Amino acid sequence: MLTTLLITVIILVVCVALLAVKILIKKDGRFPDLHVGGNRALVARGITCARTQDRERLKHKSLAERLKEIEV
């Protein structure tokens, strides 16, 4: 039981270390931006995430218009 747990923990530590090699070795290493806004090809096509689209849509409405949407 204890040996199985120890082997599992060692495997997990090795896996995490291998996943973080690029981040740890590079001077300004960081995790890749997986957000839609961080993808240049999607931004060039004008594609944004749902949260950004909703925020832009609500930005142009007045408080009265937003309240009418809630009532309906």
Side-chain angles (χ1 to χ4, degrees):
M1 173 73 180
L2 185 60
T3 56
T4 306
L5 182 63
L6 185 62
I7 291 172
T8 304
V9 169
I10 290 171
I11 290 173
L12 286 174
V13 168
V14 169
C15 290
V16 169
L18 289 174
L19 287 172
V21 165
K22 182 178 177 184
I23 297 165
L24 295 173
I25 293 177
K26 288 180 76 175
K27 184 176 180 180
D28 291 327
R30 55 187 151 153
F31 288 104
D33 185 14
L34 299 176
H35 193 265
V36 174
N39 188 327
R40 292 182 197 153
L42 293 177
V43 171
R45 292 181 181 182
I47 299 171
T48 60
C49 71
R51 287 183 183 171
T52 304
Q53 289 175 349
D54 193 39
R55 190 179 319 120
E56 290 295 321
R57 185 179 56 85
L58 290 176
K59 186 178 0 177
H60 299 290
K61 291 187 178 181
S62 68
L63 179 60
E65 291 172 338
R66 289 187 216 164
L67 289 174
K68 285 181 183 177
E69 286 181 358
I70 293 172
E71 291 175 357
V72 172

